[in-house]
Amino acid sequence: GEDETYVSDLTLSRRSGMDIRFIPEDIAKKAELSYFDWREAESVYTFSKGGGRLEITPVFKRFSEENTPPTLYNHGFENMDSVGALYSRASSHIFGDWNACGKVMGLA
């Protein structure tokens, strides 16, 4: 059976009934067949405020197949097909640290 304590975007959408678009649409099936796995690459959310609450609703999530083993020092992040990975590659060159991508985003 499924581990009820494990939560991911895929299980969240199934359990809550949220209408989240996944790209590729058959990500669960592709993940089963992938050598390394798939990771979230980009996400889009809507934000609304009402009744003293902030509602954050996921609209879509694009996943990217991992091209390198996630056990590398940088978890294979530099080699992903995503905007975040692009910042990670730039931060490796600028700061010598793949995980300083937030600094590069701040410079942008």
Side-chain angles (χ1 to χ4, degrees), residues 36-106:
F36 293 124
D37 207 352
W38 288 68
R39 296 175 81 167
E40 183 178 342
E42 282 95 25
S43 298
V44 173
Y45 297 88
T46 60
F47 297 85
S48 58
K49 192 174 182 180
R53 286 180 44 125
L54 177 64
E55 299 277 332
I56 303 171
T57 307
V59 177
F60 83 79
K61 294 184 174 287
R62 185 181 76 80
F63 291 83
S64 171
E65 189 168 16
E66 291 180 319
N67 298 309
T68 53
T71 53
L72 292 176
Y73 75 98
N74 62 1
H75 307 277
F77 192 68
E78 283 182 354
N79 200 21
M80 282 181 60
D81 175 26
S82 72
V83 173
L86 178 66
Y87 283 115
S88 181
R89 288 190 291 275
S91 73
S92 289
H93 292 285
I94 297 169
F95 300 109
D97 181 1
W98 70 273
N99 204 21
C101 37
K103 293 178 182 179
V104 177
M105 289 179 209

